[in-house]
Protein backbone atom coordinates (compact mmCIF):
# COMPACT_ATOMS: atom_id res chain seq x y z
CA UNK A 1 0.00 0.00 0.00
CA UNK A 2 1.40 3.36 -1.02
CA UNK A 3 1.70 6.33 1.31
CA UNK A 4 -1.14 8.08 -0.53
CA UNK A 5 -3.34 4.99 -0.22
CA UNK A 6 -2.63 4.82 3.51
CA UNK A 7 -3.63 8.48 3.81
CA UNK A 8 -6.90 7.81 1.98
CA UNK A 9 -7.68 4.82 4.17
CA UNK A 10 -6.90 6.85 7.26
CA UNK A 11 -9.07 9.73 6.13
CA UNK A 12 -11.94 7.35 5.40
CA UNK A 13 -11.60 5.75 8.83
CA UNK A 14 -11.62 9.18 10.51
CA UNK A 15 -14.69 10.19 8.55
CA UNK A 16 -16.55 7.05 9.53
CA UNK A 17 -15.64 7.65 13.17
CA UNK A 18 -16.64 11.30 12.93
CA UNK A 19 -13.17 12.50 13.93
CA UNK A 20 -12.16 14.12 10.68
CA UNK A 21 -15.45 14.48 8.86
CA UNK A 22 -15.31 17.86 7.14
CA UNK A 23 -19.01 17.60 6.32
CA UNK A 24 -19.87 17.15 9.99
CA UNK A 25 -17.54 19.95 11.03
CA UNK A 26 -19.29 22.32 8.63
CA UNK A 27 -22.78 21.06 9.37
CA UNK A 28 -24.13 24.61 9.74
CA UNK A 29 -23.26 25.19 6.10
CA UNK A 30 -24.87 21.96 4.92
CA UNK A 31 -28.17 21.67 3.08
CA UNK A 32 -29.61 19.73 6.00
CA UNK A 33 -29.02 22.24 8.77
CA UNK A 34 -31.27 25.08 7.56
CA UNK A 35 -34.17 22.67 7.13
CA UNK A 36 -33.71 21.22 10.61
CA UNK A 37 -33.27 24.70 12.09
CA UNK A 38 -36.38 26.10 10.39
CA UNK A 39 -38.43 23.19 11.67
CA UNK A 40 -37.24 23.67 15.25
CA UNK A 41 -37.79 27.42 15.15
CA UNK A 42 -41.40 26.77 14.16
CA UNK A 43 -42.07 24.57 17.21
CA UNK A 44 -44.17 26.36 19.80
CA UNK A 45 -42.01 25.38 22.76
CA UNK A 46 -42.84 24.34 26.31
CA UNK A 47 -40.17 25.88 28.56
CA UNK A 48 -39.75 23.70 31.66
CA UNK A 49 -37.96 26.22 33.87
CA UNK A 50 -37.68 29.97 34.37
CA UNK A 51 -37.68 32.56 37.14
CA UNK A 52 -39.73 35.34 35.54
CA UNK A 53 -40.61 37.71 38.35
CA UNK A 54 -43.84 39.74 38.52
CA UNK A 55 -43.42 42.69 36.18
CA UNK A 56 -43.34 45.32 38.94
CA UNK A 57 -40.59 43.36 40.76
CA UNK A 58 -38.36 42.39 37.86
CA UNK A 59 -34.68 42.20 38.81
CA UNK A 60 -32.77 45.04 37.19
CA UNK A 61 -35.43 47.71 37.60
CA UNK A 62 -33.78 50.86 38.96
CA UNK A 63 -34.21 54.57 39.45
CA UNK A 64 -32.81 56.52 36.50
CA UNK A 65 -32.74 60.13 35.39
CA UNK A 66 -35.91 59.26 33.41
CA UNK A 67 -37.68 57.60 36.33
CA UNK A 68 -37.91 53.99 37.46
CA UNK A 69 -37.41 51.41 34.76
CA UNK A 70 -35.23 48.84 33.03
CA UNK A 71 -31.85 49.79 31.60
CA UNK A 72 -28.96 48.22 29.74
CA UNK A 73 -27.19 47.92 33.07
CA UNK A 74 -30.31 46.32 34.56
CA UNK A 75 -30.39 43.61 31.90
CA UNK A 76 -26.71 42.78 32.28
CA UNK A 77 -26.69 42.95 36.09
CA UNK A 78 -29.65 40.56 36.37
CA UNK A 79 -28.20 38.16 33.81
CA UNK A 80 -25.64 35.40 34.38
CA UNK A 81 -22.83 37.62 33.16
CA UNK A 82 -21.68 38.79 36.64
CA UNK A 83 -20.71 35.17 37.36
CA UNK A 84 -17.87 35.41 34.84
CA UNK A 85 -17.10 39.12 34.53
CA UNK A 86 -17.12 42.33 36.52
CA UNK A 87 -19.84 44.85 35.78
CA UNK A 88 -19.51 48.52 36.66
CA UNK A 89 -22.45 49.64 38.80
CA UNK A 90 -24.76 52.34 37.56
CA UNK A 91 -25.79 54.55 40.44
CA UNK A 92 -29.45 55.47 41.05
CA UNK A 93 -30.54 58.38 38.81
CA UNK A 94 -27.14 58.43 37.10
CA UNK A 95 -27.39 59.43 33.41
CA UNK A 96 -26.30 56.86 30.86
CA UNK A 97 -23.19 58.58 29.47
CA UNK A 98 -21.01 58.67 32.61
CA UNK A 99 -21.91 55.07 33.44
CA UNK A 100 -21.12 53.83 29.94
CA UNK A 101 -17.83 55.72 29.90
CA UNK A 102 -16.78 53.60 32.89
CA UNK A 103 -18.46 50.35 31.79
CA UNK A 104 -17.82 50.05 28.04
CA UNK A 105 -14.78 47.82 28.52
CA UNK A 106 -16.32 45.58 31.18
CA UNK A 107 -16.90 42.79 28.67
CA UNK A 108 -13.48 42.67 27.03
CA UNK A 109 -12.20 39.61 28.89
CA UNK A 110 -15.43 37.59 28.68
CA UNK A 111 -16.46 37.91 25.04
CA UNK A 112 -16.18 34.16 24.39
CA UNK A 113 -18.06 33.01 27.50
CA UNK A 114 -21.50 31.49 27.32
CA UNK A 115 -22.73 33.78 30.10
CA UNK A 116 -21.93 36.76 27.87
CA UNK A 117 -22.89 35.41 24.47
CA UNK A 118 -26.34 34.04 25.33
CA UNK A 119 -27.72 37.60 25.60
CA UNK A 120 -26.36 38.69 22.21
CA UNK A 121 -29.25 37.20 20.17
CA UNK A 122 -31.66 39.40 22.13
CA UNK A 123 -29.73 42.59 21.37
CA UNK A 124 -29.35 41.52 17.73
CA UNK A 125 -32.88 40.29 17.00
CA UNK A 126 -34.99 42.43 19.33
CA UNK A 127 -33.06 45.70 19.12
CA UNK A 128 -31.02 45.41 15.90
CA UNK A 129 -27.69 45.89 17.69
CA UNK A 130 -24.48 43.88 17.36
CA UNK A 131 -23.28 44.17 20.94
CA UNK A 132 -19.82 42.86 20.07
CA UNK A 133 -19.33 45.94 17.88
CA UNK A 134 -21.60 48.41 19.62
CA UNK A 135 -20.73 52.10 19.36
CA UNK A 136 -21.27 54.64 22.12
CA UNK A 137 -24.22 56.16 20.25
CA UNK A 138 -25.78 52.73 19.70
CA UNK A 139 -25.34 51.86 23.37
CA UNK A 140 -27.12 55.05 24.45
CA UNK A 141 -29.96 54.43 21.99
CA UNK A 142 -30.23 50.82 23.16
CA UNK A 143 -30.49 51.92 26.78
CA UNK A 144 -33.30 54.33 25.90
CA UNK A 145 -35.15 51.70 23.85
CA UNK A 146 -34.95 49.16 26.67
CA UNK A 147 -36.40 51.72 29.07
CA UNK A 148 -39.27 52.50 26.69
CA UNK A 149 -40.11 48.83 26.12
CA UNK A 150 -40.44 48.20 29.85
CA UNK A 151 -43.10 50.83 30.47
CA UNK A 152 -45.59 47.94 30.79
CA UNK A 153 -45.56 44.15 30.57
CA UNK A 154 -46.64 43.95 26.92
CA UNK A 155 -42.99 43.76 25.89
CA UNK A 156 -42.35 40.77 28.17
CA UNK A 157 -45.39 38.93 26.84
CA UNK A 158 -44.48 39.69 23.23
CA UNK A 159 -40.85 38.58 23.56
CA UNK A 160 -41.69 35.34 25.35
CA UNK A 161 -44.67 34.15 23.34
CA UNK A 162 -44.10 35.67 19.89
CA UNK A 163 -40.39 36.25 19.45
CA UNK A 164 -39.12 33.30 21.50
CA UNK A 165 -42.12 31.22 20.39
CA UNK A 166 -42.85 29.80 23.84
CA UNK A 167 -46.42 28.72 24.47
CA UNK A 168 -46.13 27.76 28.13
CA UNK A 169 -43.43 28.33 30.73
CA UNK A 170 -42.98 26.51 34.04
CA UNK A 171 -42.00 29.26 36.47
CA UNK A 172 -40.27 28.77 39.81
CA UNK A 173 -41.29 31.69 42.08
CA UNK A 174 -38.52 31.32 44.66
CA UNK A 175 -39.25 34.88 45.84
CA UNK A 176 -42.68 33.68 47.05
CA UNK A 177 -42.65 29.90 47.22
CA UNK A 178 -45.97 29.46 48.99
CA UNK A 179 -47.92 32.41 47.58
CA UNK A 180 -49.19 30.18 44.75
CA UNK A 181 -49.69 33.11 42.39
CA UNK A 182 -49.00 33.50 38.69
CA UNK A 183 -48.63 36.80 36.87
CA UNK A 184 -48.48 36.00 33.16
CA UNK A 185 -50.99 34.13 30.98
CA UNK A 186 -48.31 31.72 29.75
CA UNK A 187 -46.97 30.99 33.25
CA UNK A 188 -47.35 27.57 34.92
CA UNK A 189 -46.76 27.25 38.66
CA UNK A 190 -43.92 25.24 40.19
CA UNK A 191 -43.81 24.39 43.90
CA UNK A 192 -40.34 25.24 45.20
CA UNK A 193 -39.79 22.95 48.20
CA UNK A 194 -36.21 23.95 49.04
CA UNK A 195 -36.97 25.62 52.37
CA UNK A 196 -39.16 22.77 53.61
CA UNK A 197 -36.03 20.82 54.46
CA UNK A 198 -35.33 23.34 57.25
CA UNK A 199 -38.61 22.88 59.09
CA UNK A 200 -37.04 21.55 62.27
CA UNK A 201 -37.77 24.94 63.89
CA UNK A 202 -39.86 28.03 62.94
CA UNK A 203 -36.86 30.33 63.50
CA UNK A 204 -35.36 29.07 60.22
CA UNK A 205 -37.84 31.11 58.16
CA UNK A 206 -37.55 34.86 57.62
CA UNK A 207 -40.25 35.45 54.98
CA UNK A 208 -43.92 34.43 55.35
CA UNK A 209 -43.99 33.35 51.71
CA UNK A 210 -41.20 30.81 52.46
CA UNK A 211 -42.55 29.67 55.82
CA UNK A 212 -44.57 26.45 56.13
CA UNK A 213 -45.45 27.43 59.70
CA UNK A 214 -47.05 30.64 58.41
CA UNK A 215 -49.00 28.51 55.95
CA UNK A 216 -50.07 26.24 58.83
CA UNK A 217 -51.36 29.18 60.87
CA UNK A 218 -53.41 30.41 57.91
CA UNK A 219 -54.95 26.95 57.63
CA UNK A 220 -55.48 26.54 61.39
CA UNK A 221 -53.17 23.53 61.51
CA UNK A 222 -51.20 22.33 64.52
CA UNK A 223 -47.40 22.37 64.31
CA UNK A 224 -46.24 20.93 67.61
CA UNK A 225 -44.92 17.53 66.50
CA UNK A 226 -43.11 16.02 63.56
CA UNK A 227 -46.33 14.32 62.50
CA UNK A 228 -48.00 17.74 62.50
CA UNK A 229 -45.20 19.07 60.29
CA UNK A 230 -45.59 16.19 57.85
CA UNK A 231 -49.32 16.90 57.69
CA UNK A 232 -48.49 20.54 56.87
CA UNK A 233 -46.30 19.39 54.00
CA UNK A 234 -49.08 17.23 52.63
CA UNK A 235 -51.53 20.13 52.79
CA UNK A 236 -48.99 22.40 51.06
CA UNK A 237 -48.81 19.92 48.21
CA UNK A 238 -52.59 19.73 47.97
CA UNK A 239 -52.95 23.50 47.91
CA UNK A 240 -50.18 23.99 45.36
CA UNK A 241 -51.69 21.39 43.06
CA UNK A 242 -55.14 22.95 43.39
CA UNK A 243 -53.61 26.29 42.32
CA UNK A 244 -52.10 24.74 39.20
CA UNK A 245 -48.63 23.55 40.23
CA UNK A 246 -47.42 20.76 37.97
CA UNK A 247 -44.11 19.81 39.62
CA UNK A 248 -41.68 20.38 42.49
CA UNK A 249 -38.28 22.08 42.46
CA UNK A 250 -35.32 21.91 44.84
CA UNK A 251 -32.15 24.02 44.66
CA UNK A 252 -30.55 22.68 47.82
CA UNK A 253 -27.48 21.58 45.81
CA UNK A 254 -26.24 25.16 46.10
CA UNK A 255 -25.83 24.70 49.86
CA UNK A 256 -25.18 21.05 50.68
CA UNK A 257 -24.47 17.62 49.28
CA UNK A 258 -27.06 15.78 47.20
CA UNK A 259 -26.48 12.61 49.19
CA UNK A 260 -29.68 12.17 51.20
CA UNK A 261 -29.64 9.26 53.64
CA UNK A 262 -32.81 7.42 54.63
CA UNK A 263 -32.86 8.67 58.24
CA UNK A 264 -35.21 6.89 60.67
CA UNK A 265 -38.24 8.85 61.80
CA UNK A 266 -37.24 8.43 65.44
CA UNK A 267 -34.03 10.32 64.77
CA UNK A 268 -35.92 13.18 63.06
CA UNK A 269 -38.38 13.35 65.97
CA UNK A 270 -35.53 13.96 68.42
CA UNK A 271 -34.34 16.89 66.26
CA UNK A 272 -37.72 18.47 65.52
CA UNK A 273 -38.66 21.57 67.55
CA UNK A 274 -35.10 22.54 68.47
CA UNK A 275 -33.45 25.74 67.11
CA UNK A 276 -30.29 25.48 65.06
CA UNK A 277 -28.15 26.69 67.97
CA UNK A 278 -28.98 23.50 69.87
CA UNK A 279 -28.18 21.21 66.95
CA UNK A 280 -24.99 19.90 65.41
CA UNK A 281 -24.38 20.12 61.65
CA UNK A 282 -25.06 16.38 61.50
CA UNK A 283 -28.41 16.90 63.25
CA UNK A 284 -29.40 19.48 60.64
CA UNK A 285 -28.33 17.20 57.79
CA UNK A 286 -30.19 14.25 59.28
CA UNK A 287 -33.44 16.22 59.50
CA UNK A 288 -33.03 17.54 55.97
CA UNK A 289 -32.34 14.03 54.71
CA UNK A 290 -35.44 12.69 56.43
CA UNK A 291 -37.64 15.40 54.97
CA UNK A 292 -36.20 14.97 51.47
CA UNK A 293 -37.26 11.34 51.46
CA UNK A 294 -40.74 12.39 52.59
CA UNK A 295 -40.94 15.03 49.85
CA UNK A 296 -40.01 12.40 47.30
CA UNK A 297 -42.82 10.22 48.62
CA UNK A 298 -45.28 13.12 48.41
CA UNK A 299 -44.07 13.76 44.87
CA UNK A 300 -45.28 10.30 43.89
CA UNK A 301 -48.47 10.46 45.96
CA UNK A 302 -49.57 13.76 44.42
CA UNK A 303 -48.22 12.95 40.94
CA UNK A 304 -45.95 15.99 40.89
CA UNK A 305 -42.61 15.24 39.17
CA UNK A 306 -39.55 16.43 41.08
CA UNK A 307 -37.08 18.84 39.43
CA UNK A 308 -33.74 18.70 41.27
CA UNK A 309 -30.84 21.06 40.67
CA UNK A 310 -27.72 19.00 39.99
CA UNK A 311 -24.21 20.15 39.16
CA UNK A 312 -22.83 23.71 39.13
CA UNK A 313 -23.89 24.43 42.67
CA UNK A 314 -21.81 23.40 45.65
CA UNK A 315 -19.57 21.48 43.29
CA UNK A 316 -18.11 19.06 45.81
CA UNK A 317 -21.59 17.75 46.55
CA UNK A 318 -23.69 18.27 43.42
CA UNK A 319 -22.76 15.28 41.27
CA UNK A 320 -26.08 13.67 40.28
CA UNK A 321 -24.66 10.23 41.10
CA UNK A 322 -25.14 11.19 44.76
CA UNK A 323 -28.90 10.92 44.19
CA UNK A 324 -28.79 7.29 43.09
CA UNK A 325 -29.86 5.75 46.41
CA UNK A 326 -32.83 8.13 46.55
CA UNK A 327 -33.74 7.43 42.93
CA UNK A 328 -33.41 3.66 43.18
CA UNK A 329 -35.51 3.45 46.34
CA UNK A 330 -38.38 5.54 44.91
CA UNK A 331 -39.40 4.11 41.53
CA UNK A 332 -42.85 5.71 41.76
CA UNK A 333 -41.37 9.22 41.79
CA UNK A 334 -40.57 10.97 38.51
CA UNK A 335 -37.16 12.60 38.90
CA UNK A 336 -35.94 15.38 36.58
CA UNK A 337 -32.19 16.02 36.78
CA UNK A 338 -31.61 19.68 36.02
CA UNK A 339 -28.79 21.31 34.06
CA UNK A 340 -27.73 17.95 32.73
CA UNK A 341 -25.68 17.62 35.93
CA UNK A 342 -23.03 19.94 34.44
CA UNK A 343 -20.17 19.22 34.45
CA UNK A 344 -21.18 15.58 34.98
CA UNK A 345 -23.24 15.25 31.80
CA UNK A 346 -22.05 11.70 31.09
CA UNK A 347 -22.94 10.60 34.61
CA UNK A 348 -26.42 12.06 34.18
CA UNK A 349 -26.86 10.14 30.95
CA UNK A 350 -25.78 6.95 32.69
CA UNK A 351 -28.40 7.47 35.40
CA UNK A 352 -31.16 7.83 32.83
CA UNK A 353 -29.82 4.83 30.92
CA UNK A 354 -30.05 2.74 34.09
CA UNK A 355 -33.28 4.17 35.53
CA UNK A 356 -35.00 5.54 32.44
CA UNK A 357 -38.48 4.48 33.48
CA UNK A 358 -38.73 7.25 36.06
CA UNK A 359 -35.84 9.68 35.39
CA UNK A 360 -35.61 12.53 32.89
CA UNK A 361 -32.69 14.81 32.06
CA UNK A 362 -33.33 18.52 31.56
CA UNK A 363 -30.78 20.49 29.56
CA UNK A 364 -32.03 23.71 31.16
CA UNK A 365 -29.23 26.29 31.51
CA UNK A 366 -26.61 24.00 29.94
CA UNK A 367 -26.50 25.70 26.49
CA UNK A 368 -26.16 29.04 28.29
CA UNK A 369 -23.25 27.82 30.40
CA UNK A 370 -21.47 26.19 27.45
CA UNK A 371 -22.94 25.54 24.00
CA UNK A 372 -20.00 23.22 23.33
CA UNK A 373 -20.80 21.07 26.37
CA UNK A 374 -24.49 21.15 25.46
CA UNK A 375 -23.76 19.80 21.98
CA UNK A 376 -21.58 17.07 23.42
CA UNK A 377 -24.23 16.19 26.02
CA UNK A 378 -27.09 16.02 23.51
CA UNK A 379 -25.04 13.83 21.18
CA UNK A 380 -24.25 11.46 24.03
CA UNK A 381 -27.71 11.47 25.62
CA UNK A 382 -29.41 10.65 22.33
CA UNK A 383 -27.07 7.67 22.04
CA UNK A 384 -27.80 6.25 25.51
CA UNK A 385 -31.46 7.07 26.19
CA UNK A 386 -34.81 7.28 24.39
CA UNK A 387 -35.52 10.71 22.96
CA UNK A 388 -38.62 11.09 25.14
CA UNK A 389 -36.41 11.52 28.23
CA UNK A 390 -34.91 14.94 27.35
CA UNK A 391 -36.36 18.36 28.25
CA UNK A 392 -35.18 21.96 27.99
CA UNK A 393 -35.66 25.30 29.74
CA UNK A 394 -34.33 28.85 29.55
CA UNK A 395 -33.76 29.50 33.29
CA UNK A 396 -33.76 33.31 33.19
CA UNK A 397 -35.55 36.13 34.97
CA UNK A 398 -36.19 38.69 32.23
CA UNK A 399 -37.49 38.56 28.67
CA UNK A 400 -34.22 39.23 26.87
CA UNK A 401 -32.45 36.47 28.76
CA UNK A 402 -35.28 34.04 28.05
CA UNK A 403 -35.13 34.93 24.38
CA UNK A 404 -31.34 34.55 24.18
CA UNK A 405 -31.33 31.24 26.06
CA UNK A 406 -34.12 29.90 23.84
CA UNK A 407 -32.38 30.92 20.62
CA UNK A 408 -29.15 29.37 21.88
CA UNK A 409 -30.90 26.12 22.80
CA UNK A 410 -32.66 25.84 19.44
CA UNK A 411 -29.36 26.52 17.65
CA UNK A 412 -27.47 23.89 19.64
CA UNK A 413 -30.21 21.31 19.12
CA UNK A 414 -30.38 22.04 15.39
CA UNK A 415 -26.62 21.55 15.02
CA UNK A 416 -26.69 18.25 16.89
CA UNK A 417 -29.62 16.83 14.95
CA UNK A 418 -28.29 18.05 11.59
CA UNK A 419 -24.92 16.48 12.32
CA UNK A 420 -26.55 13.16 13.11
CA UNK A 421 -28.40 13.33 9.80
CA UNK A 422 -25.27 14.28 7.87
CA UNK A 423 -23.34 11.44 9.51
CA UNK A 424 -26.12 8.98 8.68
CA UNK A 425 -27.11 8.35 12.31
CA UNK A 426 -30.66 9.63 11.72
CA UNK A 427 -32.91 10.22 8.76
CA UNK A 428 -34.16 13.76 8.54
CA UNK A 429 -37.76 12.97 9.44
CA UNK A 430 -36.59 11.25 12.63
CA UNK A 431 -34.39 14.19 13.56
CA UNK A 432 -37.28 16.61 13.12
CA UNK A 433 -39.47 14.46 15.37
CA UNK A 434 -36.78 14.30 18.08
CA UNK A 435 -36.38 18.07 18.02
CA UNK A 436 -40.11 18.56 18.48
CA UNK A 437 -40.09 16.05 21.34
CA UNK A 438 -37.35 17.87 23.21
CA UNK A 439 -38.79 21.34 22.67
CA UNK A 440 -42.45 20.50 23.30
CA UNK A 441 -43.90 16.99 23.29
CA UNK A 442 -41.87 15.50 26.14
CA UNK A 443 -43.05 18.21 28.52
CA UNK A 444 -46.67 17.68 27.51
CA UNK A 445 -46.31 13.96 28.17
CA UNK A 446 -44.57 14.39 31.55
CA UNK A 447 -46.91 17.17 32.74
CA UNK A 448 -50.31 16.17 31.28
CA UNK A 449 -52.02 19.07 33.07
CA UNK A 450 -50.39 21.37 30.52
CA UNK A 451 -52.61 20.11 27.73
CA UNK A 452 -55.52 21.99 29.27
CA UNK A 453 -53.45 25.18 29.35
CA UNK A 454 -52.48 25.27 25.67
CA UNK A 455 -53.81 28.46 24.13
CA UNK A 456 -52.54 28.53 20.58
CA UNK A 457 -54.72 27.00 17.84
CA UNK A 458 -53.81 23.37 17.45
CA UNK A 459 -51.42 22.93 14.60
CA UNK A 460 -50.26 19.73 13.03
CA UNK A 461 -46.52 19.26 13.01
CA UNK A 462 -45.09 20.50 9.71
CA UNK A 463 -44.47 17.86 7.13
CA UNK A 464 -40.96 16.48 7.18
CA UNK A 465 -38.74 18.52 4.85
CA UNK A 466 -37.78 16.88 1.61
CA UNK A 467 -34.10 16.29 1.20
CA UNK A 468 -32.70 17.39 -2.12
CA UNK A 469 -31.37 14.68 -4.41
Amino acid sequence: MTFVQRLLVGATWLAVCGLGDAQAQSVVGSETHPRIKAGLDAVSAIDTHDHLWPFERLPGLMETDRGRGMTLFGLWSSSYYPQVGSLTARQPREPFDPWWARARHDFDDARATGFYRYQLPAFRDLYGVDFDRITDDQAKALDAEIFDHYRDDRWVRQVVTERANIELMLNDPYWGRFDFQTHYPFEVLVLNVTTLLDGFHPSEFKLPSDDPYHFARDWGMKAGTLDDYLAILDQLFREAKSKGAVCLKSTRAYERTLRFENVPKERAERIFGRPRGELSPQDVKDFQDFIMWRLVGLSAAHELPFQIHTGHGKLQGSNPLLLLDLIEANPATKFILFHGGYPWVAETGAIVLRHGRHVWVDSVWLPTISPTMARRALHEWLEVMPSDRILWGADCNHAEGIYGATVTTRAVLAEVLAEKVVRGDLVEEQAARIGRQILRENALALFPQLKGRLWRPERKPPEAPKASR
Side-chain angles (χ1 to χ4, degrees):
M1 182 180 293
T2 68
F3 177 71
V4 172
Q5 287 174 324
R6 288 198 299 271
L7 284 177
L8 291 174
V9 171
T12 301
W13 182 84
L14 287 173
V16 170
C17 292
L19 299 176
D21 191 341
Q23 191 175 22
Q25 291 174 356
S26 60
V27 65
V28 174
S30 70
E31 293 181 357
T32 302
H33 177 263
R35 293 193 298 268
I36 295 287
K37 182 69 165 58
L40 296 185
D41 288 345
V43 174
S44 186
I46 307 296
D47 178 348
T48 58
H49 184 63
D50 269 301
H51 300 289
L52 186 60
W53 289 60
F55 182 76
E56 298 79 10
R57 299 176 62 192
L58 284 172
L61 292 174
M62 62 179 298
E63 294 297 330
T64 76
D65 53 333
R66 299 177 62 192
R68 182 171 174 77
M70 188 64 73
T71 64
L72 180 59
F73 168 74
L75 292 185
W76 278 118
S77 64
S78 58
S79 75
Y80 290 113
Y81 176 77
Q83 292 193 25
V84 295
S86 61
L87 187 66
T88 300
R90 182 174 176 180
Q91 301 303 316
R93 299 182 178 84
E94 180 181 17
F96 176 82
D97 289 335
W99 169 73
W100 182 247
R102 302 193 313 273
R104 63 161 66 94
H105 293 296
D106 283 353
F107 310 97
D108 290 352
D109 294 333
R111 298 283 188 182
T113 65
F115 281 170
Y116 166 77
R117 302 206 67 79
Y118 86 98
Q119 291 224 122
L120 302 194
F123 295 131
R124 178 194 67 214
D125 300 343
L126 305 179
Y127 296 96
V129 173
D130 179 353
F131 200 86
D132 273 338
R133 298 172 177 81
I134 196 167
T135 67
D136 292 348
D137 288 343
Q138 287 175 327
K140 186 172 184 176
L142 174 61
D143 184 73
E145 190 173 357
I146 291 168
F147 186 92
D148 290 339
H149 278 317
Y150 276 86
R151 292 186 183 277
D152 57 50
D153 72 352
R154 286 178 295 180
W155 174 247
V156 174
R157 290 186 277 114
Q158 177 188 0
V159 170
V160 171
T161 62
E162 297 178 26
R163 303 302 297 273
N165 195 16
I166 293 170
E167 184 164 3
L168 294 175
M169 170 193 296
L170 276 62
N171 206 40
D172 170 11
Y174 63 84
W175 52 88
R177 290 174 173 86
F178 311 140
D179 290 344
F180 304 136
Q181 297 180 16
T182 57
H183 301 271
Y184 302 94
F186 50 81
E187 179 183 0
V188 179
L189 187 64
V190 172
L191 172 58
N192 187 308
V193 299
T194 305
T195 63
L196 298 179
L197 299 183
D198 298 324
F200 51 85
H201 194 268
S203 61
E204 290 295 301
F205 305 101
K206 309 305 179 187
L207 299 175
S209 58
D210 287 350
D211 185 353
Y213 290 96
H214 185 273
F215 174 86
R217 288 192 293 273
D218 286 347
W219 279 78
M221 300 181 71
K222 298 183 298 180
T225 68
L226 179 59
D227 283 335
D228 291 341
Y229 186 70
L230 296 178
I232 293 168
L233 300 187
D234 185 71
Q235 187 58 43
L236 263 170
F237 275 58
R238 294 178 186 279
E239 180 67 5
K241 191 169 183 179
S242 74
K243 294 296 178 64
V246 300
C247 65
L248 318 177
K249 169 72 186 300
S250 169
T251 58
R252 191 42 65 101
Y254 281 111
E255 300 157 2
R256 54 152 287 169
T257 176
L258 285 175
R259 186 180 295 282
F260 293 95
E261 308 292 345
N262 191 6
V263 174
K265 184 178 180 182
E266 294 75 17
R267 170 74 176 139
E269 285 177 325
R270 291 195 294 270
I271 298 168
F272 181 81
R274 298 164 60 190
R276 187 177 290 261
E278 297 180 7
L279 301 175
S280 69
Q282 186 61 50
D283 290 333
V284 173
K285 182 182 183 301
D286 284 350
F287 188 86
Q288 292 175 345
D289 290 1
F290 172 82
I291 294 298
M292 185 64 169
W293 279 71
R294 296 311 176 274
L295 295 177
V296 166
L298 289 171
S299 170
H302 291 278
E303 299 181 318
L304 294 171
F306 205 153
Q307 299 175 332
I308 302 179
H309 178 109
T310 65
H312 200 60
K314 190 177 179 65
L315 279 178
Q316 61 268 46
S318 60
N319 188 319
L321 289 176
L322 296 171
L323 291 168
L324 268 178
D325 288 345
L326 190 67
I327 290 171
E328 290 177 350
N330 292 277
T333 299
K334 296 177 179 178
F335 292 91
I336 307 166
L337 305 181
F338 260 26
H339 316 308
Y342 175 84
W344 297 283
V345 297
E347 287 82 347
T348 307
I351 293 172
V352 182
L353 172 63
R354 179 65 178 82
H355 301 283
R357 292 184 180 275
H358 69 120
V359 182
W360 285 253
V361 58
D362 200 316
S363 67
V364 55
W365 202 29
L366 182 55
T368 300
I369 298 172
S370 170
T372 299
M373 179 66 90
R375 286 189 287 268
R376 171 194 146 187
L378 285 167
H379 269 298
E380 188 168 329
W381 293 341
L382 288 170
E383 291 169 355
V384 302
M385 70 182 71
S387 56
D388 64 354
R389 296 285 118 176
I390 306 173
L391 305 163
W392 83 282
D395 202 358
C396 294
N397 56 28
H398 58 271
E400 286 79 359
I402 292 168
Y403 178 86
T406 303
V407 168
T408 302
T409 298
R410 290 184 196 263
V412 165
L413 183 57
E415 290 179 36
V416 169
L417 293 174
E419 184 175 344
K420 288 191 176 297
V421 172
V422 169
R423 288 167 53 114
D425 296 338
L426 288 172
V427 299
E428 198 162 323
E429 292 84 354
Q430 295 165 346
R433 178 179 179 273
I434 289 171
R436 184 174 178 86
Q437 281 184 298
I438 293 172
L439 290 175
R440 178 180 175 87
E441 301 303 333
N442 291 346
L444 292 177
L446 181 56
F447 311 111
Q449 309 95 313
L450 298 182
K451 295 176 182 178
R453 294 284 310 274
L454 297 175
W455 54 271
R456 284 181 170 155
E458 185 174 356
R459 295 174 294 178
K460 294 181 179 179
E463 291 187 8
K466 304 297 183 182
S468 60
R469 297 183 183 276

